Amino acid sequence: MPAFRERISQQLVARQTAGLARRLTVVAASNQVEMSPVGMSSAAQTWVNFASNNYLGLASDASVIEAWQQGLDRYGAGSGASPLVTGFSYPHQQLEATLCEWLGYSRAVLFNSGFSANQALLFSLLEKGDHLLQDRLNHASLMEAGVLCAATMQRFLHNNVQDLANKLAAVDGQTLMVTEGVFSMDGDLAPLVEIAALRSANTLLAVDDAHGIGVLGTQGAGSCQHAGIKPDLLVVTFGKALGIAGAAILCDRQLGDFLTQMARHHVYSTAMPPAQAHALVHAIAMVRRDEWRREKLHELSDYYDQCMRQVAGYVATPTAIKPIILNASEAALRCADFVKQRGIWLSAIRPPTVPNQQARLRVTLSALHEKSHIKRLADVLGQWMEAPHEH
Ligand SMILES: *Cc1c(COP(=O)(O)O)cnc(C)c1O
């Protein structure tokens, strides 16, 4: 076999053997609370979806859909070009202005995904000789960009301000500190106040708030507003609580000018469809206005604690992300299958997404859930715990 093919085949087999291979499932109504597999008979099973990041329920919201349709009628299908050519139109400008006003920044630079925003941020801002200090549990997009960027990256212990301070004191030159606001696999909050206090003239702080935006803070303004800090760079993504897709980096005028010129994922990538930007303006207005969605999440979270406290692996979190730590990848997989057969869909999260021996179930709550859904989850997990032969 040619060397390329051999290597690819070996890596695929290794994934499989380690029990780490993942599967694509075609799902109908993946943005709703009850979803079903595509192509099954009328007796098709449905699952309660505890795996999405649709925290506020906007991904299937009728008025968000209507706004997107209205955007299509007004602006057509695609943007036709990258932003600095002719792809930047009125709804993009309106989206940027809306983000700035909501989150208290002078500039917002739009991207097609959080993944590309994070890459653009680290690639354009950092030069050789700079330092990058990241929480070791930061998202894969940040880790990959950190490895590939020009700066020297060090990872500090998760949420460990002392370790970050020590590493900061030991480096010379420009240093970018990066943390998430809410950690995507653990549902815990970064110690943002303490981290922000480490800033000096030679540092910048970036916070990726993919899971905090819309969910935490006044009018859903996110982790930083909730903590009372303002990072130099705030990354927000639109595919989770906002229910759509895309991302922005919020910053001051100078950084905004710089990113607009230098961030290659912005300069050389087709701007998001104007209709999407139009729908996002609408979604942001709903996020700000609909306090009931966040209140509902709180209620569901309290109820989850009440029902799940007895379950082995349960972790209390202040967010809608609820890990159940099962350690072994095999156990996580088997448990996810067990509950799937009983009408509950949740994710088994395995290495390399989480550290070795920290495989888990990741339960996410949505404002669309009802208490009865959570009761069912707890009952089925209780059955699993009492069926040791299944483990
Ligand atoms: C989901 C996520 C991203 C990627 O955002 P996309 O818009 O889905 O590409 C980046 N950072 C964090 C922390 C995330 O959870």
Side-chain angles (χ1 to χ4, degrees), residues 113-115 118 139 141 180 184 208 210-211 237 240 246:
S113 73
F115 202 104
N118 282 338
H139 189 257
S141 55
E180 293 185 20
S184 52
D208 176 348
H211 297 275
T237 69
K240 289 160 182 154

Side-chain angles (χ1 to χ4, degrees), residues 31 58 128 145 168 193 225 248 255 325 339 362 366 374 389:
N31 51 16
L58 296 189
K128 197 162 171 7
L168 192 59
V193 172
Q225 194 270 354
L255 285 167
I325 313 283
V339 302
R362 178 176 183 267
S366 164
I374 292 173
H389 55 283

Side-chain angles (χ1 to χ4, degrees), residues 240-321:
K240 289 160 182 154
L242 270 67
I244 303 180
I249 301 176
L250 282 293
C251 53
D252 65 19
R253 208 165 296 278
Q254 187 195 36
L255 285 167
D257 286 347
F258 180 82
L259 290 171
T260 303
Q261 299 293 323
M262 310 294 184
R264 287 185 294 280
H265 301 69
H266 175 77
V267 178
Y268 296 108
S269 192
T270 302
M272 70 171 68
Q276 181 181 336
H278 182 77
L280 281 163
V281 171
H282 180 82
I284 291 170
M286 288 182 70
V287 165
R288 299 179 71 170
R289 186 195 61 211
D290 290 353
E291 202 56 51
W292 68 264
R293 294 178 191 270
R294 282 179 288 277
E295 281 165 11
K296 176 96 182 280
L297 266 185
H298 273 133
E299 265 171 47
L300 292 169
S301 185
D302 288 347
Y303 189 67
Y304 178 93
D305 291 341
Q306 207 178 306
C307 294
M308 293 289 297
R309 204 168 279 139
Q310 323 303 338
V311 172
Y314 157 84
V315 181
T317 71
T319 66
I321 301 170

Side-chain angles (χ1 to χ4, degrees), residues 93-344:
Q93 185 188 43
Q94 209 191 3
L95 174 57
E96 289 190 356
T98 302
L99 286 163
C100 288
E101 197 251 320
W102 180 29
L103 303 173
Y105 282 85
S106 324
R107 295 293 294 275
V109 183
L110 301 179
F111 293 86
N112 285 312
S113 73
F115 202 104
S116 62
N118 282 338
Q119 288 220 331
L121 178 66
L122 301 195
F123 289 174
S124 58
L125 220 51
L126 295 168
E127 295 182 2
K128 197 162 171 7
D130 291 347
H131 295 273
L132 168 63
L133 299 178
Q134 294 212 58
D135 188 292
R136 59 178 298 166
L137 295 191
N138 276 357
H139 189 257
S141 55
L142 288 165
M143 282 304 155
E144 172 162 295
V147 168
L148 297 175
C149 77
T152 307
M153 176 170 82
Q154 289 186 72
R155 304 188 306 168
F156 59 89
L157 298 173
H158 176 53
N159 279 351
N160 189 322
V161 180
Q162 191 55 51
D163 190 40
L164 171 58
N166 294 344
K167 288 190 160 61
L168 192 59
V171 297
D172 263 336
Q174 332 301 318
T175 305
L176 176 67
M177 303 184 283
V178 186
T179 183
E180 293 185 20
V182 172
F183 284 86
S184 52
M185 296 298 143
D186 292 80
D188 54 348
L189 306 182
L192 290 173
V193 172
E194 292 82 351
I195 291 175
L198 297 176
R199 276 187 289 187
S200 68
N202 263 346
T203 60
L204 287 175
L205 171 62
V207 175
D208 176 348
D209 207 24
H211 297 275
I213 194 71
V215 176
L216 296 173
T218 309
Q219 294 189 356
S223 309
C224 297
Q225 194 270 354
H226 180 67
I229 67 139
K230 187 173 169 186
D232 305 286
L233 298 134
L234 172 65
V235 179
V236 296
T237 69
F238 308 145
K240 289 160 182 154
L242 270 67
I244 303 180
I249 301 176
L250 282 293
C251 53
D252 65 19
R253 208 165 296 278
Q254 187 195 36
L255 285 167
D257 286 347
F258 180 82
L259 290 171
T260 303
Q261 299 293 323
M262 310 294 184
R264 287 185 294 280
H265 301 69
H266 175 77
V267 178
Y268 296 108
S269 192
T270 302
M272 70 171 68
Q276 181 181 336
H278 182 77
L280 281 163
V281 171
H282 180 82
I284 291 170
M286 288 182 70
V287 165
R288 299 179 71 170
R289 186 195 61 211
D290 290 353
E291 202 56 51
W292 68 264
R293 294 178 191 270
R294 282 179 288 277
E295 281 165 11
K296 176 96 182 280
L297 266 185
H298 273 133
E299 265 171 47
L300 292 169
S301 185
D302 288 347
Y303 189 67
Y304 178 93
D305 291 341
Q306 207 178 306
C307 294
M308 293 289 297
R309 204 168 279 139
Q310 323 303 338
V311 172
Y314 157 84
V315 181
T317 71
T319 66
I321 301 170
K322 308 290 184 189
I324 302 168
I325 313 283
L326 296 179
N327 306 320
S329 292
E330 273 293 288
L333 264 191
R334 265 205 293 268
C335 184
D337 271 347
F338 181 93
V339 302
K340 206 162 281 178
Q341 284 162 27
R342 290 157 182 81
I344 303 279

